Amino acid sequence: MLVRDAMSTVVLTIGPAHTLRQAAALMSTRRVGAAVVLDPDAGGIGILTERDILISVGLGEDPDTEYAHAHTTTDVVFAAPSWTLEEAAHAMAHGGFRHLIVLDHDEPVGIVSVRDIIRCWAPLRQQVPA
């Protein structure tokens, strides 16, 4: 199975000047665990995850005055729609993260998460004889 078969095509994009509260509200409304941060001034595409927001709040930072750019991961590993789910899972396990932005011709077209991969693999695993 390929990343294109598992990825969510609901890609929430935000700017670097969104507050963490704004980002969290948008993520919650769209029921996604990550937002793609488009920052042309900083050189491109980053990712802000629910974990990034949780860490900030846990440190006592104010989500109304903290901005996405300060919490965005910019050293991002991108997936291609043609990757296998095994390749995506390996990249996530190796990098220690749960989301991959899927790029097609340098444009974000989806996000694949660990949950997406498990959802695809679980029915397949049930069919395997014990």
Side-chain angles (χ1 to χ4, degrees), residues 19-106:
T19 66
L20 293 187
R21 183 175 309 278
Q22 291 169 325
L26 290 167
M27 290 163 66
S28 176
T29 298
R30 295 213 172 88
R31 300 179 52 91
V32 297
V36 174
V37 181
L38 300 178
D39 189 354
D41 295 334
I45 300 172
I47 190 166
L48 178 74
T49 67
E50 56 199 358
R51 181 182 294 168
D52 298 324
I53 295 169
L54 183 66
I55 289 168
S56 175
V57 171
L59 290 171
E61 297 174 341
D62 183 351
D64 290 315
T65 60
E66 289 294 316
Y67 294 97
H69 72 86
H71 301 277
T72 297
T73 300
T74 55
D75 184 19
V76 179
V77 175
F78 299 103
S82 60
W83 278 19
T84 65
L85 293 186
E86 287 81 5
E87 289 173 301
H90 177 77
M92 289 178 192
H94 181 72
F97 45 81
R98 298 178 296 159
H99 299 86
L100 283 170
I101 299 171
V102 183
L103 293 184
D104 192 10
H105 302 293
D106 296 327

